Amino acid sequence: MVDHSSANDRGERDRERPTASPWPVLVAIGLAGSEVGIVVDLLPVAVGGLVLFAASVAGILAESDHVADPLPVAMGFGAVFALGGGMLYALGTDTVAPAATDGLTGLTTRGLAIAIAGIVTVVGTVIVHYRRR
């Protein structure tokens, strides 16, 4: 086989070669940290893991050019976390008491951790947005 490309073409392809991305490792650490924090009921670990997970997923989507700006994605994750955590908190405190949640325990603290992570993520994206200006 003969290479018919010019040296200039090979040089351009070498410069465009992708480098290793830190996002997949951060997504995994964030997801594992949030799961450990929620299951073991450690509020700071759960909040930090969820915030890291949301920021990492937004970063990986922006790096792969699926979204132009990662801030709306992170804010969406924060809103989902805040609403979902609020719902779990309401179920845990019997504010909303469907019959299917009778045997569930620990919803209050876990819901609180998820809601706090959502609030921290939303506030963080707002701060980053205004610092970019």
Side-chain angles (χ1 to χ4, degrees), residues 76-129:
F77 269 107
V80 168
F81 290 160
L83 290 174
M87 287 174 39
L88 288 176
Y89 183 80
L91 289 171
T93 58
D94 290 331
T95 304
V96 178
T101 61
D102 286 342
L104 299 176
T105 59
L107 289 179
T108 306
T109 56
R110 292 177 177 126
L112 186 62
I114 296 169
I116 290 172
I119 292 168
V120 168
T121 303
V122 168
V123 169
T125 56
V126 169
I127 290 171
V128 169
H129 173 72

Side-chain angles (χ1 to χ4, degrees), residues 6 15 21-23 29-31 42 62 75 85 102 123 130:
S6 66
R15 276 186 266 126
S21 175
W23 296 118
I29 291 171
L31 189 59
L42 295 171
M75 185 157 307
D102 286 342
V123 169
Y130 284 110

Side-chain angles (χ1 to χ4, degrees), residues 26-53 81 88 110 113-114 117:
L26 294 175
V27 168
I29 291 171
L31 189 59
S34 66
E35 288 297 319
V36 167
I38 290 171
V39 170
V40 180
D41 208 15
L42 295 171
L43 185 89
V45 175
V47 170
L50 284 171
V51 171
L52 180 62
F53 175 72
F81 290 160
L88 288 176
R110 292 177 177 126
I114 296 169

